[in-house]
Structures are given as C-alpha cells and as structure tokens.
C-alpha cells in the first residue's frame, strides 16, 4: 500500500505544476492580447505544423494498415493534411485572411439564425438568445467590414483569449487541488485523526 504522506506530497506537487502551467498560459495570453499580430502569425504557424505532423502520422498509420478497405481513404486524408500544413506554414498571412473571412461569415450566419429563431420561437430564453444573435451579427459585420486588415488581430485575439481562459482554469484546478490535498493530508496525520501516540513514544 502506498504511503499516504508521500502520495499527498506527490499530488501536491502535481497540482502545483498545473497551477504553474496555468500561470504561464495566462502570461502568454496577456502578451498575445497586447501583440495580436504576433499571436496571429504564431497561431497560424502552429496550426500549420499540427496539420503537417497529423498528416505524417496519418500517413504512417495508413501504410501500416495497407491491404484494408480504409487504406486509400487514410492516404488521401493524410495527403490533404500534409498539403494544407505546407500551405499554411508557407503562407500564414493568406491563411489568416481566409480563416478570418470564414470566421466572419460564421458569426454572421450564426447571429442571423439566432435572431430569427428567437423571434419565431419566443421561448423562455428569448432575451438571451436575441442578445446572442445581435452580438454575433455585430461581430461578424465588424470583422467583415475591416477585412483583410482584421485578419491581423482577430485570430490572434481569439488564440490569446483561449490561452488566457485555459490558464485561469488550470490555476483554479491547481490551487483548489492543493487545498484539498492539504486538508486530506491534515486529516490523515495522527494529530488530525485524534489518535493518541503517547503509547508509541513510551
């Protein structure tokens, strides 16, 4: 059976590591919000490398499964991922412009559907859905009217916000976990359990 004290210390360090990682992500998110252009370029390059590595891994798996009915499908999907990754890495600015346009159209269509749906259905969440639709429509129009200049900051802003909120979540988990482990460890000590240790000392 594992030593509860050692296990508690190990969990304490693990949650501390999560909190430290969260702090690093929060710092990276804040820096990205200040330098959105750099964050956009960084996110595009990372996206391209993820596509490229994913395509290579998929190609290896496809080669390993040759002879099956999914071989050619795996090869085609892997080749498309590799090609897309190469294009994104070589042309990050053009990719950012295309993805920003796609995001603006998503905001527009989502906002219109929410507005129409809230007016037609008029459910219990009518006001909230109407507000969401109006916000999505306004955001899509703002991004679209400022395109392609908006591609310099929109994706970087989203990427930085994702890092920021992920970091805050990790900090909350890490700090909360350390407190729980500390409370449990205190309860498992002889002082916390109320056991009389004088007989052992004698």
């Amino acid at each position: 059976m594992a030593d509860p004290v050692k296990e508690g210390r190990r969990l304490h360090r693990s949650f501390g590591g999560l909190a430290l990682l969260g702090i690093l992500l929060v710092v990276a998110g804040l820096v990205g919000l200040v330098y959105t252009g750099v964050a956009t370029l960084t996110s595009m390059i990372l996206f391209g490398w993820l596509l490229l590595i994913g395509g290579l891994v998929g190609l290896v798996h496809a080669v390993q499964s040759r002879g099956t009915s999914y071989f050619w499908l795996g090869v085609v999907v892997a080749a498309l991922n590799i090609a897309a990754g190469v294009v994104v890495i070589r042309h990050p600015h053009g990719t950012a412009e295309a993805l920003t346009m796609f995001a603006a159209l998503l905001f527009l269509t989502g906002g219109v559907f929410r507005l129409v749906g809230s007016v037609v259905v008029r459910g219990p969440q009518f006001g909230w859905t109407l507000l969401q639709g109006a916000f999505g429509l306004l955001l899509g129009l703002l991004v679209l009217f400022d395109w392609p200049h908006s591609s310099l900051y929109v994706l970087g802003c989203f990427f930085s916000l994702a890092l920021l909120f992920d970091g805050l979540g990790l900090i909350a988990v890490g700090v909360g976990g350390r407190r729980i482990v500390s409370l449990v460890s205190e309860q498992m000590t002889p002082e916390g359990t109320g056991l009389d240790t004088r007989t052992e000392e004698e």
Side-chain angles (χ1 to χ4, degrees), residues 35-127:
Y35 303 100
T36 53
V38 177
T40 298
L41 185 61
T42 303
S43 63
M44 288 297 95
I45 294 175
L46 287 176
F47 180 56
W49 278 108
L50 286 176
L51 286 175
L52 183 59
I53 294 173
L56 293 174
V57 172
L59 185 60
V60 171
H61 286 169
V63 171
Q64 291 177 348
S65 63
R66 59 184 178 277
T68 64
S69 57
Y70 300 102
F71 169 70
W72 288 110
L73 178 61
V75 170
V76 171
V77 172
L80 290 176
N81 284 333
I82 292 173
V86 171
V87 170
V88 172
I89 293 172
R90 294 190 61 182
H91 305 284
H93 295 289
T95 305
E97 291 180 0
L99 289 179
T100 302
M101 173 66 75
F102 181 69
L105 294 177
L106 281 181
F107 288 137
L108 284 174
T109 54
V112 169
F113 276 113
R114 284 194 176 92
L115 283 174
V116 174
S118 63
V119 172
V120 172
V121 177
R122 290 184 177 272
Q125 302 293 330
F126 168 73

Side-chain angles (χ1 to χ4, degrees), residues 51 79 143 166 174:
L51 286 175
V143 174
D166 286 345

